[in-house]
Amino acid sequence: MAWLGGGSLAAGGGGVAAGTMVLAVVVAVPALVVGGVLLEWQGRSALEDQEKVAEELGAAESELAEARRTLSEVFQRSREIRLVLKDLCVAMEERLPAFAALAADHDDYGAYDAEQRAQVKEVFDLACTTVKVMAAPPAGQDGRVGELSGRVVADARAHLAELASAA
């Protein structure tokens, strides 16, 4: 040990104490370097894992945003369907008493005049339009708003507008 310290104290060296210190430094420095390299390697590995998780979260966030937009569109179409059904119901309720009275008074359709036939056709067309609207799903198999329901709602609105202008 004294040799590592530069010789004995009597010969002007650092002695055993200095040798012990040199030996500790010679052993400690490589251990610290290896420990630092291991920590850096583990840190980079953890950083890569976190970056992968961040990418997955970003993709999941995009999917969630798309799902929210799609759901919002489906809710909007559903609302449109409910509103047009409500309007069709009101139109039917307005015409039903006269139609019931007509059917009660005249049970032979062949004996109806043109105005009475038009009245029957109007109620029949309202019923058919209502069934079409009820049968149209707001979303398709893929969960997105269907083109069919939009067309059916637009056709029902047009039919209601025709009835209102004829009245």
Side-chain angles (χ1 to χ4, degrees):
M1 287 285 193
W3 176 77
L4 287 174
S8 69
L9 287 175
V16 174
T20 304
M21 187 181 301
V22 168
L23 183 62
V25 168
V26 167
V27 170
V29 167
L32 289 173
V33 169
V34 168
V37 169
L38 282 174
L39 282 175
E40 181 179 351
W41 177 73
Q42 286 179 342
R44 286 182 189 213
S45 177
L47 180 61
E48 289 173 4
D49 291 345
Q50 291 301 316
E51 288 172 348
K52 287 178 186 175
V53 169
E55 286 178 21
E56 292 171 2
L57 286 175
E61 185 176 4
S62 296
E63 289 177 18
L64 181 60
E66 178 62 25
R68 283 184 177 156
R69 275 192 300 278
T70 300
L71 187 58
S72 177
E73 292 170 359
V74 171
F75 281 157
Q76 178 61 32
R77 180 59 52 84
S78 176
R79 183 175 183 274
E80 291 171 5
I81 289 171
R82 282 192 321 270
L83 291 175
V84 78
L85 283 172
K86 181 180 175 187
D87 293 344
L88 286 166
C89 183
V90 167
M92 183 65 87
E93 287 173 349
E94 290 171 353
R95 288 158 179 80
L96 207 51
F99 175 73
L102 174 66
D105 291 342
H106 305 85
D107 59 357
D108 183 13
Y109 180 77
Y112 287 4
D113 61 21
E115 183 179 323
Q116 292 168 327
R117 287 178 183 231
Q119 184 181 2
V120 171
K121 181 182 180 329
E122 191 173 273
V123 171
F124 179 77
D125 287 347
L126 269 173
C128 288
T129 302
T130 302
V131 169
K132 284 180 189 175
V133 172
M134 289 188 313
Q141 293 286 45
D142 61 354
R144 299 189 182 284
V145 171
E147 181 183 321
L148 172 68
S149 62
R151 193 170 50 248
V152 168
V153 168
D155 291 348
R157 289 269 174 227
H159 185 78
L160 286 168
E162 288 174 16
L163 289 176
S165 66

